[in-house]
């Protein structure tokens, strides 16, 4: 009996173990609070959603091209609209296999957080000239609205070369003159990739196999440079956005030689890499370039039912 009484006393006196779960829960709550402040999706929220009511959405519209056509300028101008949320970087989802193979979940993760009423916009200029992209975009959303900004094909070739030239210059690497690319054996080098990118009718035919023309709005890149407001108004109407962008959002910067943006009293211009002077090209070679694009341009005009002020 004495032994039983001693055991009972020891049992009562033994310290009770404190469960560890409440301390862990407190830590989780602290992490969740930090995530909310950062606007990061929660574990118990729908995928791509944030606690503040915003969410990552697949694009409602994509700027599909063209390279050196003014896609960055178009995206920056469109971002003036309060109902637009734009992805900052070129995603290259539909044209790069290493990205496309990761699926739409990966693509969604590259999108900005936006409110339910906002349109999400992504731009990757290489989409327009990549053969596999139209079918892939159509598989994602056959009703998506597409923006295509084009400029004079000859000017686009020169701008294409200029960008690559300066990229090499910054790395202190030599780069051939544009004549070495444009001329081969005394003739225009039709294998030059920059020329192929300016054959708009060929690439447009590929897109029209999957999307009707009413789903593709073509922005005149040359007019966007000269007088941006009327062109951006057309984009607003195409995207069914309320007219929020005004002429006062644009001002001509005499130093840079092109229009800059004024957003809520804050002035901003495109990066210094934009608007660089093109290389001097022999007039005879330039005429050859214009002649080369004459027939492709005519075919493109017929394809889209409108003309552009190109050479």
């Amino acid at each position: 009996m004495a032994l039983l009484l001693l055991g009972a006393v020891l049992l009562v006196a033994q310290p009770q173990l404190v469960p560890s779960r409440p301390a862990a829960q407190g830590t989780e709550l602290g992490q969740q609070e930090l995530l909310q402040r950062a606007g990061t999706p929660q574990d118990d929220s729908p995928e791509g959603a944030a606690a503040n009511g915003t969410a990552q959405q697949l694009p409602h519209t994509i700027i599909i091209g063209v390279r050196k056509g003014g896609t960055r300028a178009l995206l920056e101008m469109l971002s003036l609209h309060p109902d637009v949320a734009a992805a900052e970087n070129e995603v290259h989802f539909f044209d790069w296999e290493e990205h496309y193979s990761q699926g739409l979940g990966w693509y969604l993760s590259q999108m900005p957080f936006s409110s339910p009423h906002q349109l999400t916009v992504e731009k990757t200029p290489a989409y327009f000239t990549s053969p596999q992209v139209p079918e892939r975009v159509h598989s994602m959303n056959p009703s998506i609205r597409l923006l295509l900004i084009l400029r004079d094909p000859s000017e686009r070739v020169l701008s294409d070369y200029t960008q690559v030239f300066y990229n090499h210059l910054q790395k202190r690497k030599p780069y051939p003159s544009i004549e070495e690319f444009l001329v081969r054996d005394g003739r225009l080098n039709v294998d030059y990739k920059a020329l192929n990118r300016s054959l708009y009718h060929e690439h447009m035919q590929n897109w029209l196999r999957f999307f009707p023309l009413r789903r593709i709005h073509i922005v005149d890149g040359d007019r966007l440079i000269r007088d941006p407001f009327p062109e951006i108004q057309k984009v607003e109407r195409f995207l069914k956005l309320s007219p929020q962008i005004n002429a006062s959002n644009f001002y001509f910067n005499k130093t840079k030689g092109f229009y800059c943006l004024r957003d809520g009293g804050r002035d901003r211009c495109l990066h210094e890499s934009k608007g660089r002077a093109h290389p001097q090209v022999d007039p005879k070679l330039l005429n050859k370039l214009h002649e080369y694009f004459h027939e492709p341009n005519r075919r493109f005009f017929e394809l889209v039912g409108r003309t552009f002020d190109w050479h």
Side-chain angles (χ1 to χ4, degrees):
M1 176 65 84
L3 288 174
L4 288 173
L5 291 172
L6 180 60
V9 171
L10 290 173
L11 182 62
V12 172
Q14 184 178 355
Q16 294 184 359
L17 295 176
V18 179
S20 62
R21 186 169 179 79
Q25 285 179 336
T27 302
E28 287 174 4
L29 288 173
Q31 289 175 345
Q32 287 178 357
E33 185 178 356
L34 288 173
L35 289 172
Q36 289 174 1
R37 292 176 181 176
T40 307
Q42 309 299 304
D43 291 340
D44 56 352
S45 300
E47 184 178 356
N52 61 2
T54 63
Q56 289 171 298
Q57 305 179 71
L58 288 173
H60 303 90
T61 186
I62 301 176
I63 301 175
I64 58 174
V66 63
R67 170 172 159 147
K68 304 312 297 178
T71 57
R72 172 52 62 180
L74 176 59
L75 185 69
E76 292 291 335
M77 293 174 187
L78 195 54
S79 296
L80 292 168
H81 201 290
D83 293 340
V84 169
E88 291 184 8
N89 302 314
E90 295 176 8
V91 182
H92 286 281
F93 175 66
F94 297 101
D95 62 322
W96 287 4
E97 296 301 324
E98 62 267 33
H99 288 172
Y100 191 71
S101 62
Q102 297 186 62
L104 287 176
W106 181 89
Y107 189 39
L108 178 64
S109 71
Q110 308 304 306
M111 295 301 114
F113 282 86
S114 59
S115 300
H117 69 278
Q118 289 183 303
L119 295 183
T120 298
V121 182
E122 187 248 311
K123 77 106 176 169
T124 301
Y127 287 164
F128 182 59
T129 57
S130 301
Q132 74 275 23
V133 170
E135 184 175 9
R136 290 177 173 182
V137 174
H138 185 270
S139 296
M140 179 190 72
N141 182 2
S143 299
I144 197 168
R145 291 186 175 91
L146 304 169
L147 294 172
L148 173 64
I149 180 167
L150 301 175
R151 61 190 298 198
D152 185 316
S154 300
E155 291 297 312
R156 200 218 65 81
V157 169
L158 299 180
S159 188
D160 198 315
Y161 167 85
T162 302
Q163 174 175 291
V164 180
F165 172 80
Y166 274 97
N167 288 343
H168 280 71
L169 189 65
Q170 289 173 352
K171 298 174 183 177
R172 298 183 179 179
K173 293 182 178 180
Y175 198 65
S177 67
I178 191 169
E179 285 80 7
E180 294 179 63
F181 287 103
L182 285 175
V183 179
R184 178 173 294 174
D185 299 325
R187 298 182 179 182
L188 199 65
N189 178 19
V190 297
D191 294 325
Y192 181 30
K193 285 185 178 180
L195 259 67
N196 293 327
R197 293 188 189 107
S198 286
L199 295 174
Y200 301 148
H201 72 287
E202 292 184 359
H203 308 299
M204 193 67 180
Q205 284 174 332
N206 194 26
W207 282 91
L208 291 177
R209 288 174 55 217
F210 297 93
F211 294 95
L213 192 58
R214 69 177 182 276
R215 289 280 169 195
I216 307 174
H217 177 68
I218 303 173
V219 180
D220 189 328
D222 297 303
R223 289 187 177 181
L224 189 75
I225 295 171
R226 295 193 303 266
D227 189 11
F229 181 52
E231 284 299 309
I232 210 69
Q233 282 184 304
K234 296 173 187 175
V235 174
E236 281 183 319
R237 289 194 291 269
F238 172 72
L239 297 179
K240 301 186 185 303
L241 292 167
S242 60
Q244 296 285 335
I245 304 174
N246 302 305
S248 59
N249 289 122
F250 305 93
Y251 71 96
F252 189 77
N253 187 308
K254 294 181 180 180
T255 303
K256 292 182 176 293
F258 53 78
Y259 278 89
C260 294
L261 309 180
R262 182 169 286 125
D263 185 10
R266 182 172 63 93
D267 295 351
R268 54 190 173 96
C269 289
L270 294 176
H271 189 266
E272 60 182 11
S273 63
K274 307 300 180 182
R276 285 170 171 160
H278 291 168
Q280 293 293 324
V281 181
D282 183 273
K284 292 181 180 179
L285 180 56
L286 203 55
N287 284 334
K288 283 186 179 181
L289 203 58
H290 296 158
E291 290 173 4
Y292 173 74
F293 285 119
H294 179 77
E295 180 58 21
N297 288 349
R298 186 193 64 79
R299 295 174 65 181
F300 178 75
F301 297 160
E302 287 184 355
L303 198 62
V304 300
R306 59 182 286 197
T307 59
F308 294 82
D309 187 22
W310 299 338
H311 290 94

